[in-house]
Amino acid sequence: METPEQIEAQPAEKSENIRRGIYILPNLITAGSLFAGFYSMVATLNGNYGSAAIWIFISAICDGLDGKVARMTNSTSQFGVEFDSLADLVAFGVTPGLMMYAWALKPFGRLGWLAAFLFVVCGALRLARFNVQVNTVESKRFVGLPIPAAASMVASTVLLFNHFGWPSSYKKLAILALIYLLAFLMVSSVKYYSFKDPELIKKQPFGFLVLAVVLLIIVAAEPAVMVFVIMLSYVLSGPIGQLLSWPRRRRLEKAIHKGHEELLHDHVVKSGDES
């Protein structure tokens, strides 16, 4: 059992660790992600929704880099994890929620700002669940739609409308439905590919390189359209994969249940023989 002196010494020890120093590079990249998210809010308040959407993508790029830099330089820390989560909530929760409300959801009144708030709170819940489950869930899959992907889907929608010159009032019911869908997917148990598979950086067939080059050319030719298509494909990949794998998971559950029943039957028979 810990003594009162030991309990009092624990916070002091943690603060002492912080005073010793923190890793600059990954946390600086995280700060860059937070800056991009904040600047996106400034652009939203100024009515520059296209610029706001682009800064969300810049924030997503920084968010993808900070973790990789921390792992490559062996500079991961609990401080960095907490800072990254707070930055993600602002850049990919509050920022896109505010942008979508100002851009398209305001005419819906209460239903509109509730949709924006639902997006923010589901993003916060998604981040909290990820932090709790990070050591218990396989790294190749995310449980629920990642909040940067949800924010990028929102930003790509704005860029698509700007590309075609559509007003925000065009298909506004579809935009409202999209926000509710993204909020639901973030807190769902739907599995999404995380792109953290080590096999991705190993040798691949030559055809993969050709396919990647062709994809880059297509994206460069129509960036607004192709980014929207890519993000929409990723958002839908989770539910579609869940539906396609449902028969296999159902058969597996039946097999496990049948195995349990057989074990129970054997145990009952054995107990009867012994008596």
Side-chain angles (χ1 to χ4, degrees):
M1 183 175 179
E2 293 179 337
T3 64
E5 291 78 8
Q6 290 174 323
I7 296 174
E8 291 177 0
Q10 288 178 357
E13 182 181 352
K14 292 181 180 178
S15 60
E16 178 66 26
N17 289 336
I18 294 177
R19 284 199 296 268
R20 289 174 186 171
I22 59 174
Y23 297 107
I24 295 297
L25 186 56
N27 289 303
L28 191 61
I29 298 174
T30 302
S33 175
L34 182 59
F35 169 80
F38 179 78
Y39 192 82
S40 177
M41 281 194 282
V42 173
T44 294
L45 294 176
N46 291 331
N48 300 324
Y49 302 114
S51 176
I54 291 173
W55 279 98
I56 288 178
F57 280 112
I58 295 174
S59 181
I61 293 172
C62 292
D63 181 66
L65 288 176
D66 59 3
K68 289 181 174 56
V69 169
R71 287 188 292 271
M72 289 174 60
T73 58
N74 195 26
S75 56
T76 56
S77 65
Q78 187 61 33
F79 175 86
V81 171
E82 298 296 334
F83 184 33
D84 183 68
S85 292
L86 292 172
D88 286 354
L89 180 58
V90 174
F92 307 126
V94 179
T95 295
L98 177 65
M99 181 179 68
M100 290 305 285
Y101 175 73
W103 179 65
L105 301 180
K106 188 182 294 186
F108 290 100
R110 181 181 299 176
L111 195 62
W113 66 257
L114 282 176
F117 171 73
L118 184 66
F119 184 91
V120 175
V121 72
C122 286
L125 292 172
R126 170 68 178 79
L127 288 168
R129 184 178 65 180
F130 175 79
N131 289 343
V132 171
Q133 297 180 341
V134 66
N135 294 321
T136 59
V137 179
E138 62 169 329
S139 60
K140 294 181 181 179
R141 295 286 186 273
F142 287 127
V143 179
L145 180 67
I147 187 172
S152 297
M153 183 70 236
V154 168
S156 65
T157 302
V158 175
L159 292 179
L160 182 74
F161 273 61
N162 282 0
H163 175 73
F164 288 109
W166 297 336
S168 58
S169 57
Y170 180 70
K171 303 287 185 182
K172 59 182 181 180
L173 284 175
I175 297 173
L176 182 66
L178 175 66
I179 297 301
Y180 278 105
L181 175 64
L182 293 175
F184 166 75
L185 289 175
M186 280 192 286
V187 294
S188 70
S189 58
V190 176
K191 301 291 184 63
Y192 282 88
Y193 189 63
S194 67
F195 297 100
K196 294 181 180 180
D197 190 351
E199 296 295 327
L200 288 176
I201 60 176
K202 294 182 179 179
K203 288 186 177 181
Q204 301 290 344
F206 178 73
F208 277 79
L209 176 60
V210 176
L211 182 62
V213 171
V214 171
L215 183 62
L216 286 174
I217 292 173
I218 295 174
V219 171
E222 289 289 347
V225 176
M226 288 308 302
V227 168
F228 176 83
V229 170
I230 292 171
M231 293 311 308
L232 183 62
S233 299
Y234 182 73
V235 170
L236 297 178
S237 67
I240 292 174
Q242 197 90 340
L243 289 174
L244 293 178
S245 64
W246 184 82
R248 179 175 58 83
R249 288 186 288 107
R250 185 64 176 170
R251 288 194 300 268
L252 182 61
E253 290 174 0
K254 287 182 177 180
I256 294 174
H257 182 67
K258 184 178 179 181
H260 286 165
E261 288 183 342
E262 290 177 351
L263 287 174
L264 181 61
H265 179 266
D266 293 342
H267 178 71
V268 171
V269 172
K270 186 177 180 181
S271 299
D273 292 341
E274 290 177 351
S275 63

